Amino acid sequence: AVGFKSAHNKEIQDKKLLSLVAPSDLRSFGLIPELIGRLPILTALEPLDKETLKSILTEPKNALVKQYQRLFEMENTELTFQEEALNVVARKAIERKTGARGLRSILESILLDTMFDLPDMDGVTEIVVDKDVVEGRKTPVLVYAKSAKSNKEDAA
């Protein structure tokens, strides 16, 4: 098969094309042999999918979600992310083409105002981040503890 529109060329997908690069291809592209010789391994990376990004957010020992939860624990507040919110965070990282490195900036933009205002808020026991919060349609949901006065009234 010859030509750009041949059946053989249609079988090679764009994503897999880089995995087929050989040192001779680099030479024909214009790199000098002295530089090509210093590249011991040629490899191609594939973009991370949504499930992988979600696991990066939650599973490792120093996962981003765990880091933010620990920061909020210092203010005696529990931070909760709903499953759908994590999906949207991962989707945003894919759309921005920032991968795992972009996850921190997305979470930072969501929680920055809340982290700044939290020390001045009294009685907040939990902060819930849902899909709408990640998409910027509302602020994080603040859950307040019942005051001692309210508990006495409920008991009476």
Side-chain angles (χ1 to χ4, degrees):
V2 179
F4 289 109
K5 295 188 178 192
S6 68
H8 177 70
N9 284 337
K10 287 182 182 178
E11 293 174 13
I12 300 174
Q13 298 174 359
D14 290 339
K15 292 181 181 178
K16 295 184 180 182
L17 189 61
L18 282 178
S19 66
L20 302 174
V21 171
S24 60
D25 297 326
L26 296 176
R27 173 77 174 108
S28 64
F29 184 70
L31 284 151
I32 59 174
E34 290 81 8
L35 179 60
I36 297 171
R38 295 184 183 271
L39 303 174
I41 298 172
L42 296 176
T43 187
L45 301 175
E46 294 182 19
L48 300 173
D49 63 348
K50 186 167 64 169
E51 292 304 316
T52 305
L53 289 171
K54 277 179 50 180
S55 68
I56 291 169
L57 277 171
T58 57
E59 293 177 12
K61 179 181 174 185
N62 62 343
L64 290 172
V65 168
K66 292 177 184 177
Q67 289 178 26
Y68 279 101
Q69 287 173 335
R70 180 67 183 121
L71 285 172
F72 280 83
E73 282 176 14
M74 292 179 188
E75 295 292 334
N76 297 321
T77 305
E78 182 181 348
L79 177 64
T80 306
F81 284 90
Q82 292 182 349
E83 190 70 24
E84 189 61 31
L86 296 175
N87 288 333
V88 176
V89 169
R91 189 191 69 211
K92 277 187 163 191
I94 291 170
E95 287 171 358
R96 294 179 182 181
K97 297 183 181 183
T98 56
R101 294 188 181 269
L103 294 172
R104 180 176 297 279
S105 67
I106 294 168
L107 290 181
E108 183 86 14
S109 67
I110 295 167
L111 297 171
L112 186 64
D113 291 337
T114 306
M115 288 189 296
F116 181 75
D117 295 335
L118 186 61
D120 296 332
M121 296 179 189
D122 291 330
V124 177
T125 59
E126 182 180 9
I127 295 175
V128 180
V129 177
D130 62 8
K131 175 183 168 184
D132 292 332
V133 173
V134 177
E135 291 176 345
R137 290 191 281 236
K138 68 178 189 179
T139 59
V141 178
L142 306 176
V143 178
Y144 290 91
K146 287 186 175 182
S147 65
K149 184 178 179 181
S150 300
N151 289 338
K152 289 178 183 176
E153 290 174 3
D154 291 340

